[in-house]
Amino acid sequence: MIIKRIDIRLNGENLFGGLAFVKFEEEDTELCFDFDVVIRNGLLVIVGKQKMIPEKTITQLEKQLKVLFRTKKVPRTIGSYTLKAPAVKEAI
C-alpha cells in the first residue's frame, strides 16, 4: 500500500481533512479514502470505512497518514500534494 496523493479540502483551527489516493500494488488498483485529522495533544487521524477494505488496512492507512502529517511531509493547508516515492515505510 502506497499513498500516492493527498488532497486537503478542509482546514479549520483544530481539524483538517480531505482525500488520500492509495495504490495497492498486490491487486494493481488505486482507491480513494476520505480522512479527517483532529489536532489536540497530538494528531488523531480517522479514515472513512469502506465495506470492501479490511479494518487492518484502514488502521495501517491511519498510521501512515499520521506519520506524514506529524513529520510535515505533507502540509496541513488546502491543496493537492503528490508523493513521488513511498513516503512511509510499510512496517509501522
Side-chain angles (χ1 to χ4, degrees):
M1 174 172 68
I2 299 171
I3 300 172
K4 302 296 279 183
R5 189 177 92 214
I6 294 179
D7 290 351
I8 304 294
R9 302 208 172 165
L10 168 71
N11 187 358
E13 188 174 323
N14 294 319
L15 172 74
F16 64 96
L19 302 171
F21 297 86
V22 180
K23 180 170 183 158
F24 294 88
E25 294 178 319
E26 306 82 35
E27 297 88 23
D28 195 33
T29 59
E30 190 169 309
L31 296 175
C32 176
F33 296 86
D34 65 317
F35 68 89
D36 293 307
V37 180
V38 179
I39 305 167
R40 279 192 250 165
N41 299 327
L43 299 176
L44 172 63
V45 178
I46 303 163
V47 172
K49 307 292 186 239
Q50 295 189 16
K51 290 181 183 180
M52 61 185 183
I53 306 298
E55 184 67 32
K56 178 182 173 185
T57 302
I58 297 292
T59 301
Q60 184 180 16
L61 180 56
E62 289 173 342
K63 288 178 181 178
Q64 287 189 13
L65 286 169
K66 185 174 184 177
V67 168
L68 287 175
F69 292 119
R70 190 179 62 229
T71 60
K72 301 194 187 314
K73 290 187 178 181
V74 176
R76 298 176 187 177
T77 56
I78 292 176
S80 183
Y81 306 97
T82 302
L83 305 169
K84 300 197 185 298
V88 179
K89 303 269 190 237
E90 285 277 344
I92 293 180

